[in-house]
Every structure is written in structure tokens, then in C-alpha cells.
Amino acid sequence: MINPQMPPVMISPSLLAADTAVLGEAVSGIQRAGADAVHIDVMDGHFVPNLAYGPDVVRALKKRTTLPLDVHLMVSDPAFFIPIFLKAGADWLTFHVEAAGDKTGELLHLIAQSGAMPGLSLSPGTPVEAVLPYTDQCGMVLVMGVMPGFGGQPMHPDTLARIAAIRRAAGPRLHIEVDGGVRMDNAADIRAAGANILVSGTAIFAANDRESAIKTMRGEGK
Ligand code: DX5
Ligand code: ZN
């Protein structure tokens, strides 16, 4: 960790890479393997060219795990979906600054008022300055390492510099989450840049030993 005051390092495996036929078992399995949260991607086929998990899935998984449900909305109309996913049981709820425009502040407030942790995400190509005015209202900023929509892509090379810029501007309190292209061999650099929540789909679900993959990403053992 670059700063002893920084929030703890946490690993949030992305269910996009899990076997969707047995999602409940996937969640129980990553909890046993030591995950800190469960990352659930929501895609509307409009903000991104893919479709993924609806509120019924969140509601069902809530009964299967005590881990925080880390719900990532990749939708064009976050104002419509936020109340739905709060009701379904999201513990951390993140939407994209590109979609929310001048409603960003009010939507962060709505999430915070419900007791969930508000998160704001930015895609590669969106200047970090777009989220900086809101960091005081955010529990976390989610820096996308890839264009949202699909797992298994390599991390965009300027992601580390973007994480570092947000950490510098926002200070140690903010959770900075990174999503897309997180692997065992780049996790240390991602943590050193100032991120403390690592989302990983492919690298965790493809690992033979998920417990050791999670430990490696957290910077333990090895
Ligand atoms: C991409 C999703 C990610 C995705 C990451 O739009 O938001 O959560 O599952 O997948 P990997 O870890 O395979 O890059
Ligand atoms: Zn995601």
C-alpha cells in the first residue's frame, strides 16, 4: 500500500466470468475462497452492446451470500435503474458519469441516503476531471481498465496513471476500484498506483486455485 491511511485492499470477483448456469454456487465458492465482495455487472444493451444481470439475480444472490453485493450499472438511464437495484439489495451501487450528466450529484445522494455505498465510474477516454467534482459524495470511484461491455480484454495502458491522478486529488479516504483487465501479474502495480478494490472476472474464475489467486491479487503470501 502506498499510504498507511489508505482503505484496505479488497478483491471483488466479477460474475460475468462465472458459469451462469450455477451462479449461486459460484458466489458461495468465491466467498469460501476469501473474496471481499461480489461484483455484479448490469448491462442494458444500449450503454454497452451486451446484456447482463437484472434485479432478480441480485435479489436471489443476496440470499446466498453475506458478502457485499458490488453492483456496477452500465446503463444509459441510471436514474431509472438505481431505485430498482437498491430495492433488490445492492450494497455498493455504481453508475457511469458518462450516462448521468448533470444528475450525477443527485443520484449519488439518493444512493447514500438509502444506506448503500455510492460509486461513480468512468470509462477509458473520459477525462478523470469528470469525476473529481464528485469525489466527496462518493464512497468509491470505479476506474474502468477496458471499454465496458465484455470481460477478457487487456487493460488500457494509461489506467495506472488515471488511478494515481484520482488518488492524488481525492486523498486516502476514497475507495478506488479498478475493473477490466486485472490479472495476477498487474495487481501489484494497480495497488501501488493507489487502487484498493480490484475487480477480476477472467483471472479469478479461470484460476485452478481461486483462493491463492485472490491472495496474490490482495498482495498476500507469494
Ligand atoms: C466489463 C465488466 C467487468 C468484467 C471484467 O465491462 O465491467 O466487470 O467482468 O472482466 P475481466 O476481469 O475479465 O477483465
Ligand atoms: Zn464491472
Side-chain angles (χ1 to χ4, degrees):
M1 248 185 276
I2 55 170
N3 183 329
Q5 291 176 296
M6 255 181 58
V9 175
M10 293 185 266
I11 307 301
S12 185
S14 171
L15 293 187
L16 209 56
D19 180 351
T20 40
V22 285
L23 268 191
E25 285 167 34
V27 169
S28 307
I30 56 165
Q31 178 155 14
R32 279 196 305 275
D36 300 287
V38 184
H39 189 81
I40 305 174
D41 288 306
V42 177
M43 304 183 183
D44 66 352
H46 188 262
F47 184 74
V48 289
N50 198 0
L51 287 170
Y53 309 125
D56 288 345
V57 173
V58 172
R59 210 169 285 119
L61 294 180
K62 189 86 184 165
K63 298 183 197 139
R64 292 289 295 243
T65 183
T66 53
L67 293 177
L69 300 183
D70 171 22
V71 176
H72 175 194
L73 298 179
M74 286 162 277
V75 302
S76 294
D77 191 354
F80 177 76
F81 285 109
I82 283 169
I84 292 171
F85 280 90
L86 286 173
K87 200 162 168 224
D91 297 289
W92 306 349
L93 188 55
T94 298
F95 60 93
H96 274 255
V97 68
E98 300 88 359
D102 60 10
K103 288 211 174 97
T104 299
E106 115 193 25
L107 294 177
L108 290 169
H109 183 68
L110 177 71
I111 297 169
Q113 260 190 329
S114 80
M117 177 163 79
L120 188 60
S121 184
L122 72 169
S123 297
T126 300
V128 295
E129 288 72 22
V131 300
L132 296 183
Y134 301 106
T135 54
D136 284 351
Q137 279 182 269
C138 291
M140 82 166 153
V141 167
L142 191 176
V143 180
M144 288 302 300
V146 302
M147 282 309 284
F150 300 92
Q153 309 177 67
M155 181 173 277
H156 209 278
D158 69 359
T159 308
L160 297 181
R162 289 158 64 76
I163 295 165
I166 295 168
R167 178 59 75 200
R168 260 195 314 276
R173 177 204 62 91
L174 184 73
H175 291 290
I176 299 182
E177 179 170 72
V178 183
D179 182 12
V182 176
R183 307 271 180 270
M184 255 83 90
D185 62 4
N186 61 11
D189 289 342
I190 293 167
R191 296 192 310 267
N196 71 296
I197 307 179
L198 277 57
V199 174
S200 174
T202 315
I204 288 179
F205 282 97
N208 292 327
D209 182 347
R210 291 180 187 160
E211 186 174 348
S212 109
I214 287 170
K215 278 193 180 140
T216 303
M217 285 191 183
R218 213 189 272 119
E220 291 167 4
K222 238 198 142 191

